[in-house]
Amino acid sequence: MTSTFTIAIDGPAGAGKGTLARRLADHYRLNLLDTGLTYRAVAHALLRIGLPLDNVSAAETAARQVDLAKLDRSVLSAHAVGEAASKVAVIPSVRRILVEKQREFAKAPPGAVLDGRDIGTVVCPDADIKLYVTASAEVRAERRLAEIESIGGTANFNEILADILRRDERDMGRADSPLKPAADAHLLDTSEMAIEAAFLAAKAIIDDVLAKRNKA
């Protein structure tokens, strides 16, 4: 592994990029950041004190106070927080504050795996590897339903699908840093892939880049 090495993983909700990012960070011994948690942290702060999600100054203050070392996934993974986060994420000034924090994280040795919506296009446009992980909306809804049921919850497939399509529209349609593949990203469609197959496909791409770099 070179001095610092950055793997950027982008894609829509439920495509499997978070699980893939964790596997890759563990395999290559890199730092890991789920950038979506930074937006969730801002949303959670606003929800906790009862302020509207479009209160720009409060959202900016919350963004500045986000500590990347203290992102609690168990708290921030709540569905309501995720919904709120996609609304906070459309505020350009909040994105700028969080992007700077994310870039600083990526610079720390030995490097990092970052997953989100705009890593390869905005946060780390010079990343060594860019992956765009996607899957059909129906498959992503099925995965979310299975996830909810696995912990004893109940949910409606059609409602989950509608929610995913709404989030896709928000993420892809926003004016500032919309979700889209970087021009030089490797596309990975996991619709018919188990996580192990997705991991091996991504690992093959990364190992090829590393092998070429070591020969140079």
Side-chain angles (χ1 to χ4, degrees), residues 13-27:
K17 63 185 184 299
T19 306
L20 179 61
R22 288 191 290 275
R23 288 287 305 272
L24 291 173
D26 182 57
H27 180 78

Side-chain angles (χ1 to χ4, degrees), residues 19-171:
T19 306
L20 179 61
R22 288 191 290 275
R23 288 287 305 272
L24 291 173
D26 182 57
H27 180 78
Y28 293 104
R29 293 185 170 86
L30 295 170
N31 299 319
L32 172 66
L33 179 62
D34 174 352
T35 62
L37 291 181
T38 65
Y39 293 96
R40 283 172 176 259
V42 173
H44 182 256
L46 295 179
L47 291 171
R48 194 177 65 239
I49 55 180
L51 288 174
L53 299 171
D54 58 358
N55 185 322
V56 175
S57 62
E60 289 172 350
T61 299
R64 291 189 191 96
Q65 293 172 346
V66 169
D67 183 344
L68 301 190
K70 295 181 179 178
L71 297 172
D72 187 343
R73 180 177 294 276
S74 64
V75 172
L76 300 178
S77 62
H79 180 71
V81 177
E83 275 292 288
S86 66
K87 294 170 185 173
V88 165
V90 301
I91 303 173
S93 53
V94 168
R95 297 196 72 84
R96 283 194 294 274
I97 293 165
L98 294 179
V99 163
E100 281 309 308
K101 289 177 181 281
Q102 294 159 13
R103 284 175 176 159
E104 286 304 310
F105 182 92
K107 289 176 187 173
V113 179
L114 292 87
D115 85 82
R117 303 287 197 276
D118 63 346
I119 311 304
T121 52
V122 175
V123 180
C124 299
D126 298 322
D128 299 275
I129 298 284
K130 298 177 188 178
L131 300 173
Y132 188 85
V133 182
T134 189
S136 72
E138 290 76 15
V139 166
R140 289 184 281 135
E142 286 168 6
R143 288 174 181 167
R144 178 64 182 147
L145 180 60
E147 185 183 330
I148 292 168
E149 291 176 343
S150 73
I151 56 173
T154 57
N156 177 279
F157 172 81
N158 288 328
E159 288 176 4
I160 294 174
L161 179 58
D163 178 49
I164 281 175
L165 291 171
R166 275 196 303 272
R167 287 184 67 178
D168 284 355
E169 187 176 1
R170 269 203 299 266
D171 290 338

